[in-house]
Amino acid sequence: MWAVENGITTGKTATSFDPNAVCTRGQIVTFLFRASGNEKVATGTDFADVASGSYCADAVAWAVANGVTKGTTATTFAPNATCT
């Protein structure tokens, strides 16, 4: 409830949360970004697999700029890969 009430996540649908679902790298950095206050960084990333309009683009840029994570390679982030 805290995560929903604070805009960290909206859940799977309007009426379900799915707490046992596996999260992706893109989802996790988005959760962390929102929890930190959604403060965008001045620069984006050069990851070919994160489009500038992607739901997680600002979060990926924030996470990389703040040393939270890095890409899976120099040119990819793998936002749809399972987060371990």
Side-chain angles (χ1 to χ4, degrees):
M1 289 303 302
W2 175 89
V4 172
E5 290 170 358
N6 287 282
I8 309 303
T9 186
T10 57
K12 203 78 159 163
T13 70
T15 58
S16 67
F17 186 73
D18 200 5
N20 296 316
V22 175
C23 291
T24 66
R25 289 172 50 84
Q27 290 169 325
I28 293 298
V29 295
T30 300
F31 297 155
L32 294 172
F33 175 64
R34 290 173 181 166
S36 75
N38 287 337
E39 190 170 326
K40 295 179 184 178
V41 295
T43 59
T45 67
D46 292 327
F47 298 128
D49 57 352
V50 180
S52 62
S54 168
Y55 80 93
C56 65
D58 290 336
V60 170
W62 168 86
V64 172
N66 287 285
V68 174
T69 190
K70 56 185 178 181
T72 53
T73 72
T75 59
T76 60
F77 183 76
N80 296 320
T82 301
C83 188
T84 56

